[in-house]
Amino acid sequence: MEKSTRGIDHIGVTVPDIEQATLFFQKAFAAEVIYDNLAAADEPKSGQQVEQSLGLKPGTTEMRIRMLAVGNSANIELFQFGNVSQRQPVIASDYGLQHVAFYVDDIQKAVEQFTQSGGKLLSKSNKLSSAAESGFGNQFVYGRAPWGMLVEMISYPAGINYPADSQAKRWTPAQ
């Protein structure tokens, strides 16, 4: 079978304030602004086409859209909507996208940057313990961004112990 998919281009995240979210991602993960698809100076978008293309509630307005780059990985597209009531972010047991994971070289430094940027940890960092992911220094920790989105920081400097029947290698950002 011929592959038509190259990989993940971006992850879309709805935020209450695009400037606050941008600042958080810049401070916590050294994100860089690529461009705005819908800038503050642009007219907000609304109507049936906008609602239909994103599956939005009737009356929802697209206020801002911004694309961020984070290291050598998929991009993050931030959305800010208006004129609609919004729910709290999902928790891991809910259906759908539950978290975004950032590969970090130094988990303690990443935790420090994350919390200094307004993120809140759910626990201390933990060892990766599955047979495939265990190894010296392999760790993870979850936290919540200032608006409640679940974020993971992960590091596996000892590598991955792929089982014999593995069909692919896990993508990891270049050093």
Side-chain angles (χ1 to χ4, degrees):
M1 174 188 250
E2 184 179 336
K3 290 184 181 180
S4 63
T5 303
R6 291 188 190 186
I8 295 173
D9 179 76
H10 69 273
I11 298 164
V13 177
T14 298
V15 299
D17 181 308
I18 207 161
E19 296 303 334
Q20 176 201 33
T22 299
L23 188 60
F24 170 76
F25 282 116
Q26 287 172 327
K27 287 182 172 181
F29 301 109
E32 298 175 294
V33 175
I34 302 172
Y35 52 78
D36 284 348
N37 287 324
L38 185 58
D42 297 336
E43 185 71 29
K45 296 181 180 179
S46 60
Q48 186 177 6
Q49 183 178 358
V50 170
E51 294 164 8
Q52 186 175 8
S53 68
L54 289 173
L56 301 172
K57 294 176 186 175
T60 302
T61 302
E62 285 181 334
M63 305 301 291
R64 303 278 307 276
I65 303 173
R66 174 174 288 158
M67 190 70 74
L68 301 178
V70 181
N72 178 26
S73 65
N75 302 298
I76 296 178
E77 186 174 26
L78 301 178
F79 290 82
Q80 182 178 331
F81 294 102
N83 200 34
V84 64
S85 63
Q86 294 171 298
R87 297 179 290 206
Q88 292 298 309
V90 299
I91 59 173
S93 57
D94 291 332
Y95 293 124
L97 180 66
Q98 57 163 276
H99 74 274
V100 174
F102 293 90
Y103 188 93
V104 300
D105 292 320
D106 182 330
I107 201 114
Q108 297 312 319
K109 182 177 179 182
V111 161
E112 185 178 310
Q113 289 174 316
F114 181 80
T115 55
Q116 287 177 354
S117 301
K120 295 190 181 352
L121 294 179
L122 298 180
S123 69
K124 61 179 181 58
S125 60
N126 299 282
K127 292 180 181 179
L128 291 169
S129 59
S130 73
E133 295 178 337
S134 65
F136 181 76
N138 292 6
Q139 304 175 66
F140 74 100
V141 64
Y142 285 92
R144 293 228 175 248
W147 57 95
M149 181 182 89
L150 190 59
V151 175
E152 178 183 7
M153 289 158 278
I154 187 168
S155 187
Y156 39 93
I160 301 294
N161 305 308
Y162 293 98
D165 62 349
S166 178
Q167 296 179 356
K169 301 287 187 203
R170 185 173 179 161
W171 180 86
T172 303
Q175 303 261 332

